[in-house]
Amino acid sequence: MPKSYRLSKVTRELNISIGRAVDYLGEQGVEMDTNPNAKLDQAAYDLLLNEFDADRLQKEASGEVNINKLDKEKKEQQKKEAEKKKKEEEEKARKEAERLAEEEKAREKAQEEKERLEKIAAEKKAEEERAKKEVEEQAKKEEEQKLAAQQEAEKEKKESPSLLTERKKLAGLTKVGKIELPSDKKDTEKKTSTKGKKLTPANSEKEEKEILDSRKEQESKSDAPKKEEDDDRIKTKYKKLEGITKVGKIDLSKFEDKKKKDSSSDDKDKKKRKRIKKNVKYDNRKGGNSNRNKNTRPKKDVSELTEEEVQKQIKETLEKLTGKANKTSNKRGAKHRREKRKNRREQEELEILEQEQNKTIKVTEFVTVNDLGSLMDTNVMDIISACMSLGIMVTMNQRLDANTIELVADEFGYKVEFTDAELEEAQEDEIVDNEEDLLPRAPIVTVMGHVDHGKTSLLDYIRKENVIAGESGGITQHIGAYSVEVEKNKFITFLDTPGHEAFTAMRARGAQITDIAIIVIAADDQIMPQTEEAISHAQAAGVPMIFAINKVDKPTANPEKVKEQLAQKNLLVEDWGGKLQSQDISAKTGLNVDELLEKILLEAEMLELKANPDRLANGTVVEASLDKGRGYVSTIVVQNGTLRVGDYVLAGSNHGKVRAMLNERGQQIKEAKPATPVTILGLDGAPTAGDNFRVYADEKEAKQLAGKREQLQREQSIRTQKHITLDEIGRRIALGDFQELNVVLKGDVDGSVEALTDSLQRLSTEEIHVNILHKGVGQITESDVLLASASDAVIIGFNVRPNSSARSVADKEEVEIRTYSIIYDAINDVKEAMEGMLSPDLKEEVIGEVEIRDTFKISKVGTIAGCMVLTGKITRNSQVRIIREGVVIHDGELASLKRYKDDVKEVNKGYECGLNIKNFNDIQVGDTIEVYVVNEVKKKLK
């Protein structure tokens, strides 16, 4: 029987459509239906194979390309199976461990049961012995009673023999009947039998077992009739479902191997089969492979191809597919490009999946809903709906706080990392300088130490100027920046910091800006708290320290004591074998100041300080103030680049063009190199001391950043503003007399305002709270007075005065304005005002003791006591306590106090007097009256 082939199978094998195969066979004179199940004879199959052999080869080539992909999938499948097998083994081991634990528990339970039975047996034995003893004692007593009765009977018989017939003889206990208990006979027999025997644990166990068996037999007897009744009923047969039942496991690998073996066997058969060659004429007008007949090269047998030749043919086939020779090649090239695009899309999807595995977004606080949506690549409406589900109504441009951002991001599977806006911008705009562009720069040196230890005096001697004369109270209250030429073309930039305890933030800023820290310590004093704080700031900033031990010219100076105290704090100077430099100096006479400067230059050379002057400047704001004629003035230190007049500067949320630049002596300069302190004019506000500044080439960019920062600050101030809560109201009611001091604070420079704010807020206690309503730089204006009037506040001005309009409004509104030039005067006055607002403490003071000698009862007046003042005195308006036999029976006040017939204000020790106690008449002779007064004592702040 000739072999037949199904049409669908042949078209799949040759990688052609059914329509194409039918059309070609029709051209060759073979009529064929388009039904996929139609069968072909051998001749028709050979015709198709001869014509479309190239398509078959193309399919085989694409199959070989995908082998690696299939191998990879197979390996992954094997890996998953291995992991599954491992998990099953772990589960099996866990179950085995649980089974062993249960067996151990059952063993322990059996042991406990055994001990319990032994205990029960011992108790039974003790009860039996006790019962036996009681029976013996009872029998003995009965025997004695019986003997006594017999003796009495015999005695009576002798006395009166006639009454013997009338009396009954007592013969002990009479057995009336027998009560059968419901317990089993066997149990009673065993109990009676064991009375004489000695029970052992083995016997008790045996007996318990027998008792249980007998009970089971009784139960089975009682259940027998029930079972007979149940047999008459029709029972419902059901099967309890217990989840999925594992029937078996299907091994898919068997089917894959079988398919591969079948296909390989078919290929071998096809290769071995001899082709039937027929002289067939082909029409060049139809079919994509008409040019094939022009190729006269002899065909190679496929079975003889080596591996290298196969790879070569695949390569050639792919090259033909990508070519543009005719329409067929164009179609094949398009198909290949589609496959490449598909592979590229798959690769991109894999990359996206890898990115999604690490979903962490970096945002600043108070970011808008729209910005958050773009960061998370999520539609804004989805974020708004998520917020509504959380109970928060938001709009597209509304800013969210930190907690809301975290909640929304968590809803979409993101983690949030909050960053500072300025830090983020600095990281984005940071420019790395080339090594060849860096040039040496002057060191920035900060002078720190305790108040009145000689920091400013040292700088005065170096600069040959008297700065202290210009400071109020002889103490430094501002941070100053100076540039000094110590040698030819060698400069040092000095920063002078205040030493008062209120200026902690200023010292911290000085330590952050500096390269080297000089710690000034007075030789006639010791290491003070501010000295320790300055050392801590320098250590935290990681800057090298040089200790300048000042005032060595004084007769009471002891530098070695200072070095000893430093050694106790693990700070060893070079004289004591350490690494820290120190120098004994006198700022007043200039002793050894030159050597101190040499040590500073040596330390700077070791640090190798460099900067790039040929770039846009950046640095730090040291101080900011408001000048009446010049506007906002900012003292800055350029740390990198060169600052020029006309540059557009952004410092914090303030920005502006540099209109003028002055050095520390007030002289105008055109440019400032790195490590140069200058004062600039032109900013639109007073930046916060410690803010970083940067010069921007694009003015528009700087304004956008300033607007963004200002908006964030405004949002932060609104969100962080505390509103009174029910808990706070309850706390204030519980205290009874809670007070609040509202303050409007204005200062000459930002650093002083910040220091004064911190100091005043630290004065707050549980009973009185300092509330800073507003703080700012500049003179006291009319708006400050109106704010203080509306909120019942006090205005405090530090080194500033109110203008004429503000003073007139303050007089009209009766607002108090206090101005100070020394910081601790301001702090002390506010402290005293707070103490005055506190309710005073009540203190009781005993002023005298009076003894009642006699009493007189007068109608319409009450009981009058005749008394003698024993100690102290008694006054008319004093409080009294009546004490009888050491117990206070009344506490009240006097209604009248008389001596003879006259009313008196007081009676002293040793005199007699008469008195009447208000609303109290139970006075007896011998009572003692304790006289006391209640004084109000001013409460101090804790």
Side-chain angles (χ1 to χ4, degrees), residues 727-887:
D727 293 338
E728 181 65 16
I729 291 168
R731 190 180 73 84
R732 293 183 181 186
I733 292 169
L735 286 170
D737 52 354
F738 181 83
Q739 298 287 337
E740 192 170 35
L741 177 62
N742 295 323
V743 176
V744 175
L745 185 61
K746 297 298 285 288
D748 57 342
V749 294
D750 183 73
S752 300
V753 172
E754 183 185 6
L756 197 54
T757 303
D758 293 341
S759 299
L760 293 180
Q761 285 180 339
R762 279 201 294 268
L763 294 174
S764 298
T765 62
E766 288 185 359
E767 296 179 6
I768 186 164
H769 176 68
V770 178
N771 186 17
I772 308 292
L773 293 175
H774 173 68
K775 59 180 180 179
V777 176
Q779 66 178 351
I780 299 165
T781 60
E782 191 176 342
S783 61
D784 297 328
V785 177
L786 292 172
L787 174 63
S789 174
S791 56
D792 194 19
V794 178
I795 299 174
I796 294 175
F798 185 71
N799 282 332
V800 292
R801 295 291 181 272
N803 55 30
S804 57
S805 61
R807 196 178 289 278
S808 62
V809 172
D811 293 338
K812 184 181 176 182
E813 298 288 337
E814 295 182 352
V815 174
E816 186 180 7
I817 299 175
R818 294 285 190 95
T819 57
Y820 302 93
S821 57
I822 300 172
I823 191 166
Y824 46 74
D825 286 347
I827 295 166
N828 290 338
D829 279 7
V830 173
K831 191 175 181 180
E832 288 175 4
M834 290 170 68
E835 287 174 350
M837 290 173 72
L838 294 172
S839 58
D841 288 331
L842 300 176
K843 191 175 180 182
E844 188 180 289
E845 183 185 359
V846 177
I847 59 172
E849 190 177 347
V850 178
E851 185 185 2
I852 298 172
R853 297 285 175 90
D854 203 351
T855 57
F856 310 94
K857 292 185 180 179
I858 301 172
S859 59
K860 296 184 182 179
V861 176
T863 306
I864 304 296
C867 309
M868 171 67 75
V869 180
L870 300 177
T871 57
K873 63 181 180 179
I874 182 170
T875 58
R876 173 69 184 77
N877 56 359
S878 58
Q879 303 283 324
V880 293
R881 287 194 190 94
I882 310 298
I883 300 170
R884 186 175 295 159
E885 295 178 357
V887 179

Side-chain angles (χ1 to χ4, degrees), residues 135-397:
V135 168
E136 288 176 356
E137 287 175 0
Q138 187 69 24
K140 196 174 181 181
K141 283 180 182 179
E142 286 173 0
E143 190 69 30
E144 287 175 358
Q145 286 175 3
K146 192 176 178 182
L147 289 169
Q150 284 177 2
Q151 287 174 5
E152 197 173 338
E154 287 175 3
K155 194 176 180 182
E156 285 176 0
K157 193 176 179 183
K158 286 176 183 179
E159 289 174 359
S160 55
S162 61
L163 295 172
L164 281 171
T165 55
E166 295 176 7
R167 290 192 182 186
K168 287 185 179 180
K169 190 178 180 181
L170 292 172
L173 294 170
T174 307
K175 190 174 180 182
V176 179
K178 188 178 180 182
I179 298 167
E180 289 185 1
L181 295 172
S183 60
D184 196 13
K185 288 180 180 180
K186 290 179 182 179
D187 296 346
T188 52
E189 287 171 6
K190 280 171 187 175
K191 282 180 183 178
T192 51
S193 62
T194 51
K195 278 182 184 179
K197 294 178 185 178
K198 190 177 181 181
L199 285 171
T200 60
N203 291 337
S204 64
E205 283 180 17
K206 197 172 180 182
E207 287 169 9
E208 287 288 331
K209 199 170 182 182
E210 287 174 359
I211 291 162
L212 290 169
D213 291 340
S214 64
R215 284 180 183 172
K216 282 180 185 177
E217 284 174 9
Q218 285 179 358
E219 286 173 4
S220 61
K221 285 174 186 177
S222 61
D223 292 342
K226 287 183 184 179
K227 283 182 182 178
E228 288 173 3
E229 290 174 7
D230 292 342
D231 291 340
D232 297 336
R233 296 177 187 175
I234 298 167
K235 291 185 179 178
T236 306
K237 293 182 180 179
Y238 65 91
K239 188 177 180 182
K240 190 177 179 183
L241 296 176
E242 295 180 350
I244 298 165
T245 308
K246 189 174 178 182
V247 179
K249 189 175 179 183
I250 300 168
D251 191 2
L252 298 174
S253 59
K254 292 178 181 178
F255 300 100
E256 290 176 5
D257 294 336
K258 192 174 180 183
K259 284 178 185 177
K260 286 179 183 176
K261 284 176 185 177
D262 292 345
S263 61
S264 62
S265 63
D266 291 344
D267 291 342
K268 285 176 184 177
D269 295 340
K270 287 170 191 174
K271 286 172 187 175
K272 289 177 182 178
R273 187 171 65 247
K274 292 179 182 180
R275 304 292 180 194
I276 300 168
K277 293 181 182 179
K278 289 185 179 181
N279 295 323
V280 183
K281 291 181 181 180
Y282 297 101
D283 190 0
N284 291 336
R285 288 175 297 174
K286 293 184 180 181
N289 297 322
S290 58
N291 294 329
R292 226 149 82 87
N293 294 330
K294 295 177 183 179
N295 191 2
T296 55
R297 287 182 298 176
K299 282 190 178 182
K300 287 185 181 180
D301 190 6
V302 180
S303 59
E304 296 175 1
L305 290 173
T306 61
E307 186 67 28
E308 292 177 1
E309 289 172 343
V310 169
Q311 294 296 333
K312 191 177 179 181
Q313 283 190 4
I314 291 166
K315 192 175 180 182
E316 287 174 359
T317 308
L318 291 171
E319 285 174 358
K320 286 177 184 177
L321 288 170
T322 55
K324 297 180 182 178
N326 48 36
K327 290 182 180 179
T328 309
S329 61
N330 284 340
K331 287 178 183 177
R332 290 172 183 172
K335 186 178 180 183
H336 181 65
R337 284 194 295 275
R338 279 198 303 274
E339 288 176 356
K340 281 182 76 176
R341 282 197 295 271
K342 187 180 177 183
N343 292 333
R344 199 180 298 115
R345 277 197 300 271
E346 288 177 356
Q347 192 173 357
E348 286 173 358
E349 285 172 1
L350 286 170
E351 288 176 0
I352 290 165
L353 284 170
E354 287 176 1
Q355 288 174 3
E356 286 176 353
Q357 287 175 0
N358 186 17
K359 284 188 173 182
T360 304
I361 55 172
K362 291 185 178 181
V363 295
T364 58
E365 197 177 2
F366 306 117
V367 73
T368 62
V369 174
N370 192 14
D371 293 341
L372 185 62
S374 60
L375 283 170
M376 295 195 300
D377 195 18
T378 308
N379 191 1
V380 180
M381 297 308 296
D382 294 339
I383 293 177
I384 291 171
S385 61
C387 290
M388 287 174 72
S389 66
L390 293 169
I392 305 164
M393 301 299 290
V394 294
T395 59
M396 186 173 170
N397 297 316

Side-chain angles (χ1 to χ4, degrees), residues 511-742:
Q512 291 293 330
I513 301 167
T514 189
D515 299 317
I516 301 166
I518 294 178
I519 311 295
V520 178
I521 307 169
D524 62 339
D525 205 345
Q526 58 183 351
I527 295 176
M528 304 298 284
Q530 273 66 54
T531 313
E532 293 179 9
E533 186 190 86
I535 291 168
S536 300
H537 286 317
Q539 287 175 337
V543 295
M545 292 181 288
I546 299 173
F547 292 100
I549 300 171
N550 194 17
K551 301 183 183 180
V552 293
D553 56 330
K554 281 195 171 185
T556 56
N558 187 2
E560 294 301 316
K561 184 184 176 184
V562 174
K563 293 174 185 177
E564 183 184 346
Q565 289 177 343
L566 288 171
Q568 289 173 0
K569 299 184 183 301
N570 295 325
L571 298 167
L572 287 173
V573 297
E574 288 180 340
D575 297 347
W576 284 47
K579 293 182 180 179
L580 298 173
Q581 294 193 76
S582 71
Q583 184 63 53
D584 299 345
I585 61 165
S586 173
K588 192 174 182 180
T589 61
L591 178 67
N592 296 332
V593 173
D594 295 338
E595 293 182 14
L596 178 65
L597 294 175
E598 284 178 10
K599 288 185 177 181
I600 293 169
L601 291 172
L602 176 64
E603 196 74 44
E605 285 176 11
M606 291 172 68
L607 292 172
E608 296 181 356
L609 303 169
K610 291 183 179 181
N612 181 12
D614 302 325
R615 57 170 286 179
L616 296 174
N618 63 349
T620 307
V621 178
V622 175
E623 200 64 272
S625 61
L626 178 63
D627 190 90
K628 189 176 180 181
R630 297 187 294 181
Y632 288 102
V633 179
S634 303
T635 304
I636 61 172
V637 175
V638 181
Q639 291 177 306
N640 206 354
T642 303
L643 182 66
R644 296 177 178 85
V645 175
D647 287 345
Y648 204 87
V649 176
L650 173 66
S653 59
N654 302 107
H655 58 94
K657 192 174 284 187
V658 179
R659 291 192 286 108
M661 198 165 12
L662 310 170
N663 63 10
E664 75 274 7
R665 299 178 190 274
Q667 300 166 351
Q668 285 203 5
I669 56 174
K670 296 290 182 184
E671 62 179 25
K673 297 286 184 184
T676 306
V678 288
T679 301
I680 61 170
L681 283 68
L683 294 181
D684 63 347
T688 306
D691 281 348
N692 294 323
F693 79 86
R694 184 183 288 274
V695 174
Y696 283 86
D698 187 5
E699 185 177 331
K700 189 176 178 182
E701 184 187 359
K703 285 181 179 177
Q704 283 177 352
L705 288 171
K708 186 179 175 184
R709 290 179 185 177
E710 190 176 359
Q711 200 170 7
L712 282 171
Q713 283 180 2
R714 195 184 308 116
E715 193 80 25
Q716 198 165 7
S717 63
I718 292 167
R719 297 293 182 92
T720 53
Q721 191 172 6
K722 289 183 179 178
H723 300 284
I724 192 164
T725 60
L726 288 174
D727 293 338
E728 181 65 16
I729 291 168
R731 190 180 73 84
R732 293 183 181 186
I733 292 169
L735 286 170
D737 52 354
F738 181 83
Q739 298 287 337
E740 192 170 35
L741 177 62
N742 295 323

Side-chain angles (χ1 to χ4, degrees), residues 70-99:
L70 290 169
D71 289 343
K72 190 176 180 181
E73 289 176 358
K74 194 172 180 182
K75 284 180 182 176
E76 287 178 358
Q77 186 68 23
Q78 288 174 355
K79 190 177 180 182
K80 285 180 181 176
E81 286 178 0
E83 288 177 357
K84 191 176 179 183
K85 192 175 179 183
K86 189 178 178 182
K87 283 182 181 177
E88 286 175 358
E89 288 175 356
E90 288 176 356
E91 186 68 21
K92 193 175 178 182
R94 186 179 64 76
K95 285 181 179 177
E96 183 65 24
E98 287 178 359
R99 188 183 62 76

Side-chain angles (χ1 to χ4, degrees), residues 858-917:
I858 301 172
S859 59
K860 296 184 182 179
V861 176
T863 306
I864 304 296
C867 309
M868 171 67 75
V869 180
L870 300 177
T871 57
K873 63 181 180 179
I874 182 170
T875 58
R876 173 69 184 77
N877 56 359
S878 58
Q879 303 283 324
V880 293
R881 287 194 190 94
I882 310 298
I883 300 170
R884 186 175 295 159
E885 295 178 357
V887 179
V888 177
I889 60 170
H890 181 70
D891 194 339
E893 56 186 24
L894 294 175
S896 63
L897 178 65
K898 291 189 177 186
R899 178 164 169 75
Y900 298 108
K901 293 182 180 180
D902 301 326
D903 288 327
V904 292
K905 288 185 177 180
E906 65 177 38
V907 179
N908 291 319
K909 177 184 175 182
Y911 291 95
E912 292 179 344
C913 63
L915 56 87
N916 179 23
I917 297 170

